[in-house]
Amino acid sequence: MDEPITKRLHISGLTPAITPDALSARLATFGTLTALDGLGALDALGQPRKYAYVTLDTTKGKLAKCMNVLSGSTWKGARLRLGEAKPDYRESN
């Protein structure tokens, strides 16, 4: 049986056309989105950042499928790149 896991992922290549709701719906097939950080935040130049962090409650199998299916795929004009994020510095206390 596939064990439940919680993973924090870094998703880059995002565009302003991708909303938090759309991203949540896109990831719903692979698990439950429990946190979304940085989407729509502005960088130092006032431009929307092209990346976000998501925390996903999933299984190892679904996570592997998520990475295979979405990483490198084109969605809403964006070429997505996914990777495991470093642990959130706020959780290391």
Side-chain angles (χ1 to χ4, degrees):
M1 186 168 151
D2 223 359
E3 283 183 45
I5 57 171
T6 299
K7 272 295 179 199
R8 187 168 155 86
L9 302 176
H10 177 268
I11 303 178
S12 60
L14 301 174
T15 67
I18 296 173
T19 64
D21 287 344
L23 189 57
S24 181
R26 187 73 178 103
L27 293 170
T29 335
F30 305 106
T32 305
L33 188 69
T34 57
L36 174 59
D37 304 317
L39 184 63
L42 302 180
D43 66 15
L45 301 173
Q47 301 295 315
R49 290 194 305 194
K50 294 180 175 12
Y51 64 90
Y53 293 96
V54 297
T55 304
L56 203 58
D57 283 344
T58 186
T59 63
K60 288 184 178 185
K62 284 184 178 178
L63 179 66
K65 188 173 181 182
C66 176
M67 301 293 253
N68 288 337
V69 171
L70 295 182
S71 197
S73 69
T74 302
W75 178 56
K76 291 187 178 244
R79 185 159 173 85
L80 301 179
R81 288 178 300 286
L82 277 76
E84 282 191 39
K86 292 179 180 147
D88 188 339
Y89 70 92
R90 293 172 293 189
E91 293 175 5
S92 61
N93 296 342

